[in-house]
Amino acid sequence: MADTDWLAAGFEEHRQHLRAVAYRLLGSMSDAEDAVQDTWLRLTSTDAGQVENLGGWLTTVVARVSLNMLRARKHRQEEPVGDAWPGSAEIAAWTSAPDGSGTVSPEPPADPQDEAVLADSVGLALLVVLDTLTPAERLAFVLHDMFAMPFGEVAEVLGRSTEATRQLASRARRRVQGASSPDHAADLARQREVAAAFLDAARGGDLSALVALLDSDVVLTGDGAAGPSGRPAVLRGSKLVARGAIVSAERARVSRLALVDGTVGIVYAPAGRLEVVLTFSVSPDRRITAIDIIGDPGRLARLHLADLPG
């Protein structure tokens, strides 16, 4: 077998693992694929005969590539991250960390369907908190707590001492534990359920479904840049707000769910250019009590977004 064939075969054996590492570090499948491809290019330009442990070498390289991408990543409003959302089974595996990680999954519900929903909601909470970590904290937590990489090896990737790396992972772990609580996970699941139903009803022009989702005293506010009049707007009451949503049905058809500063909302970004964001307040009984429509470029620029499936 030629050297290049041997390298390609060895790389393919580890591709899924490398993609998993990069995805957890970057939160975007397209970015993860870029990191894996960069890792392959680096392998082909390296004297493979000097690589004693191919799997370990590849993991280290993809982690360094991902770290550089995290550090270089800017707040790209025209391209929210998270373009490919993992399945509930995969998320359940992520949140069931190895012994000693400090990350504890909730007790599984009896109903398999409920288990999938809960696992998915915990995944939402995890994404929210991972996006708030510094690149170094995120890498230390992901590599050690999710992939059981020894702290000494993680420290080499970060260029820090082993003790400093332990502290980074510890800080990240405490924040992940708080974000993955059942209450927070359930709240995010409720938000996504209601936002998805609102978006579906708006796309279909279903007035009765929209009214059913809205609290009778719901208040919708929009800044001057969000509407055609150029002036701030306020709508009160479920019927009036529902009619307003139906007027925006065409916009709704090309809008999508997103995490907006850690809560579930809706973004409208035609041709990849962010123009409008909707955020919601949702009551415990799954009624929308307030909607904020953001169109002002300055406000949009301060939002932190990540795509969710519609």
Side-chain angles (χ1 to χ4, degrees):
M1 180 182 292
D3 288 345
T4 54
D5 292 339
W6 176 83
L7 279 180
F11 184 82
E12 287 303 320
E13 289 181 7
H14 298 284
R15 180 184 290 274
Q16 292 297 332
H17 170 74
L18 299 177
R19 185 185 289 117
V21 172
Y23 184 84
R24 289 154 178 75
L25 287 171
L26 297 168
S28 164
M29 190 57 74
S30 61
D31 285 351
E33 292 288 1
D34 289 343
V36 171
Q37 180 63 20
D38 195 347
T39 301
W40 163 249
L41 293 175
R42 296 188 184 207
L43 177 62
T44 59
S45 62
T46 299
D47 181 2
Q50 302 299 314
V51 178
E52 296 182 2
N53 180 348
L54 181 61
W57 187 92
L58 290 171
T59 300
T60 297
V61 172
V62 80
R64 285 174 175 161
V65 170
S66 298
L67 179 62
N68 290 337
M69 293 173 70
L70 281 173
R71 287 171 170 167
R73 180 184 284 167
K74 300 300 181 182
H75 199 53
R76 298 173 298 174
Q77 293 298 340
E78 70 280 4
E79 188 182 347
V81 301
D83 52 310
W85 193 251
S88 58
E90 184 179 16
I91 294 171
W94 299 0
T95 53
S96 300
D99 292 343
S101 69
T103 303
V104 181
S105 300
E107 288 297 321
D111 189 319
Q113 183 175 357
D114 291 344
E115 182 177 6
V117 171
L118 181 57
D120 196 47
S121 64
V122 171
L124 279 178
L126 183 59
L127 178 64
V128 170
V129 73
L130 285 179
D131 279 351
T132 69
L133 302 178
T134 67
E137 288 172 341
R138 186 165 183 164
L139 185 136
F141 174 77
V142 168
L143 291 185
H144 179 267
D145 285 49
M146 289 185 168
F147 291 96
M149 180 180 282
F151 276 123
E153 295 179 21
V154 181
E156 291 182 12
V157 176
L158 287 170
R160 304 196 184 196
S161 69
T162 300
E163 183 55 34
T165 301
R166 287 181 184 274
Q167 292 175 4
L168 287 169
S170 179
R171 286 202 300 269
R173 191 179 304 122
R174 287 195 297 269
R175 295 170 74 177
V176 168
Q177 286 176 319
S180 297
S181 68
D183 287 345
H184 187 202
D187 185 45
L188 284 169
R190 181 173 61 250
Q191 292 174 25
R192 186 169 69 169
E193 175 187 329
V194 173
F198 179 89
L199 186 57
D200 286 343
R203 287 168 174 168
D206 191 335
L207 181 64
S208 60
L210 285 166
V211 171
L213 288 166
L214 298 167
D215 185 85
S216 59
D217 297 320
V218 64
V219 177
L220 179 148
T221 58
D223 60 37
S229 68
R231 297 190 301 272
V234 178
L235 299 178
R236 299 178 185 275
S238 57
K239 291 184 178 179
L240 194 57
V241 172
R243 292 192 185 103
I246 289 177
V247 170
S248 302
E250 288 299 322
R251 176 184 290 179
R253 291 188 184 101
V254 292
S255 297
R256 60 188 184 272
L257 296 182
L259 285 173
V260 182
D261 288 340
T263 62
V264 180
I266 295 172
V267 300
Y268 172 65
R273 181 177 179 83
L274 185 66
E275 293 189 10
V276 176
V277 169
L278 279 70
T279 63
F280 300 89
S281 295
V282 179
S283 68
D285 63 351
R286 290 175 165 76
R287 295 291 182 92
I288 297 172
T289 59
I291 302 175
D292 186 20
I293 305 180
I294 305 168
D296 176 77
R299 294 181 68 193
L300 292 175
R302 292 191 292 272
L303 299 176
H304 186 239
L305 306 177
D307 273 355
L308 296 177

